[in-house]
């Protein structure tokens, strides 16, 4: 299926690895020019170079090594040489998730950091680009959030809270006047995907449960109806579809990609 987005420009946060990388890759393979953001320059530059090879140099790929959750980082993105300024057709908002823990231990600082990274940063990115999209009659925003928005995970209280704030905002903003101007805003909710994020949280969980990491991996995957973790490539393919011409009548939605883990009928 031709997604009808070749030649467009996309901004993808957290794109040097994991789910953001999956989205950047899927879009680039559809002929989209991509500005890829992450803090660590070395991993990011390698991801950009590898994707350049995979796409045969057919699209423009630009790496910007900044912290997207800071104003200075976003300013650098808007001003990057060769980029489209703020005239993106597609924006995939994404950065690292907040740490797990006990809500009794989180102070105001911890909450502000989580809200900044997982609620206010996506809102700032939407604010900066959405009216320009509407003026051109096409725009796609996909926020990578979490299945925890629908089925909260107790140790991820910072994520549950901050991402629910973003979800509420998107529910309203996506249905505002921009909806009639070809702009959609949707949230893509990952369940368990085999990325560095999950690899970094497993050791502590395994220790807490008196199991090895490998034992815990087997148990977790057996609990997923699909019988396995997801991979960034299949996540990216869903993201690319949401960014496509074919998804023009789909906005304000929370799309789960969790191998069937969420057991609700609706
Ligand atoms: P990951 O594999 O750890 O990748 C995170 C990416 O984001 C990396 O490229 C990282 O590079 C970049 N990043 C982190 N903080 C950043 C910042 N402040 N500014 C710019 N780039 C930043 O994580 P992932 O699994 O892809 O997860 C992506 C998001 O989905 C996270 O918010 C995570 O909580 C959420 N999520 C993941 C899962 C899962 O199963 N994987 C499930 C639910 C929700 P640098 O570190 O170099 O910046």
């Amino acid at each position: 299926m031709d997604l009808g987005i070749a030649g467009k420009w996309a901004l993808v946060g957290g794109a040097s690895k994991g789910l953001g990388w999956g989205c950047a890759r899927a879009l680039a393979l559809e002929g989209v020019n991509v500005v890829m953001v992450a803090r660590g320059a070395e991993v990011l530059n390698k991801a950009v170079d590898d994707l350049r090879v995979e796409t045969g140099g057919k699209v423009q790929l630009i790496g910007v090594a900044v912290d997207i959750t800071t104003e200075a980082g976003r300013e650098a993105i808007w001003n990057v040489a060769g980029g489209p300024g703020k005239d993106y057709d597609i924006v995939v908002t994404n950065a690292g998730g907040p740490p797990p823990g006990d809500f009794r231990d989180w102070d105001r600082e911890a909450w502000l950091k989580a809200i900044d990274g997982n609620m206010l940063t996506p809102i700032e990115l939407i604010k900066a680009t959405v009216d320009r999209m509407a003026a051109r009659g096409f725009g796609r925003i996909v926020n990578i959030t979490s299945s925890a928005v629908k089925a909260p995970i107790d140790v991820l209280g910072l994520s549950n809270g901050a991402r629910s704030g973003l979800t509420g905002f998107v529910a309203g903003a996506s249905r505002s006047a921009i909806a009639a101007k070809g702009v959609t805003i949707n949230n893509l909710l990952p369940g368990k995907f085999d990325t560095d994020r999950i690899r970094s949280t497993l050791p502590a969980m395994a220790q807490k449960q008196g199991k090895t990491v490998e034992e815990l991996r087997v148990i977790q995957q057996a609990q997923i109806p699909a019988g396995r973790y997801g991979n960034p490539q299949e996540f990216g393919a869903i993201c690319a579809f949401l960014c496509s011409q074919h998804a023009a009548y789909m906005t304000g939605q929370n799309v789960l990609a969790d191998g069937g883990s969420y057991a609700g009928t609706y």
Side-chain angles (χ1 to χ4, degrees):
M1 189 197 285
D2 177 2
L3 297 189
I5 47 177
K8 303 232 179 259
W9 272 96
L11 169 65
V12 183
S16 67
K17 57 186 180 179
L19 304 179
W21 170 82
C23 296
R25 175 179 176 271
L27 289 167
L29 289 173
E30 286 298 323
V32 175
N33 304 306
V34 188
V35 172
M36 296 165 65
V37 183
R39 292 163 304 178
E42 201 177 319
V43 180
L44 176 65
N45 290 340
K46 180 162 180 350
V48 172
D49 288 347
D50 289 350
L51 199 47
R52 217 168 258 145
V53 172
E54 195 176 356
T55 53
K58 290 194 187 109
V59 294
Q60 296 186 62
L61 299 169
I62 302 172
V64 191
V66 295
D67 184 342
I68 203 165
T69 67
T70 65
E71 220 175 295
R74 291 189 291 273
E75 215 40 53
I77 295 166
W78 309 137
N79 293 315
V80 71
K86 290 182 179 172
D87 285 322
Y88 284 93
D89 307 296
I90 294 166
V91 174
V92 180
T93 75
N94 177 41
D102 186 316
F103 70 87
R104 294 163 191 84
D105 299 329
W106 297 325
D107 58 13
R108 183 175 165 77
E109 273 314 299
W111 273 107
L112 290 180
K113 195 157 183 257
I115 290 167
D116 226 5
N118 296 102
M119 178 182 170
L120 299 182
T121 293
I123 291 173
E124 284 298 332
L125 294 171
I126 292 168
K127 203 171 91 183
T129 55
V130 87
D131 289 333
R132 292 165 178 268
M133 291 175 175
R136 295 193 306 280
F138 178 92
R140 298 284 183 271
I141 290 167
V142 175
N143 303 299
I144 299 180
T145 64
S146 173
S147 61
V149 168
K150 276 186 88 100
I153 302 164
D154 62 347
V155 293
L156 291 178
L158 290 170
S159 171
N160 301 337
R163 294 192 207 269
S164 292
L166 174 65
T167 305
F169 167 78
V170 166
S174 60
R175 292 170 173 88
S176 68
I178 59 161
K181 296 187 174 152
V183 181
T184 69
I185 314 180
N186 291 291
N187 304 317
L188 186 47
L189 285 52
K192 284 193 166 55
F193 279 80
D194 204 0
T195 68
D196 281 3
R197 162 86 174 163
I198 207 163
R199 274 172 230 131
S200 69
T201 54
L202 279 179
M205 286 171 78
Q207 198 186 20
K208 211 170 159 188
Q209 296 177 26
K211 297 186 168 54
T212 66
V213 168
E214 203 33 57
E215 282 168 347
L216 190 56
R217 281 180 74 90
V218 170
I219 293 167
Q220 283 195 343
Q221 294 189 75
Q223 287 167 348
I224 300 168
R228 62 175 178 85
Y229 293 138
N231 65 63
Q233 288 87 343
E234 58 195 346
F235 188 86
I238 302 170
C239 177
F241 172 74
L242 289 175
C243 296
S244 75
Q245 298 283 0
H246 309 293
Y249 205 51
M250 192 173 168
T251 196
Q253 299 305 302
N254 290 289
V255 179
L256 266 174
D258 70 349
S261 293
Y262 178 71
T265 305
Y266 302 106

